[in-house]
Amino acid sequence: MPKVTATTIAVTALLLVGLTGCTGTTPSAGNESTAPAASEPAPPHVTESPTAEPEASDAEAAFLALVGESLPVETIIPDVTDAQLLAAGQEACDRLRAGEMPDIMSLIEGEQKNDADIYADSSAIISSARLTLCTDQLSG
């Protein structure tokens, strides 16, 4: 007697389901309302992710892209999140609007000036913010 395996049972079940599925009835000519229209495709099924975060505005997206390119290779904030960068960018805009000079501004606690006498990471954030988030602060 041949050995019956789980694979054999599964293949047999699929064949039976496939064969019995072909014997269904077709809608009659008198009952066309139940037949799908040939020219109307089914609407796409759209699902929303319950954990999706709100999308950033165009200015915020531009800021994140620019600051990502502008931060120094030897950044002191390698694990910074987008939310933290956006908060720092907004802080930079607020401080610029209050009259603080960008070249003496540090946005990162404990940041030290580099050999060129600037706060390199803060400078990247401030410059990126001025070009995207607070363009009213481009002069000065």
Side-chain angles (χ1 to χ4, degrees), residues 7-22:
T7 304
T8 305
I9 293 171
V11 169
T12 304
L14 285 174
L15 286 173
L16 288 174
V17 170
L19 290 175
T20 58
C22 294

Side-chain angles (χ1 to χ4, degrees), residues 36-48:
S39 63
E40 295 179 27
H45 180 69
V46 178
T47 58
E48 293 184 25

Side-chain angles (χ1 to χ4, degrees), residues 119-130:
Y119 297 107
D121 289 359
S122 289
S123 179
I125 295 168
I126 294 163
S127 297
S128 298
R130 290 173 81 181

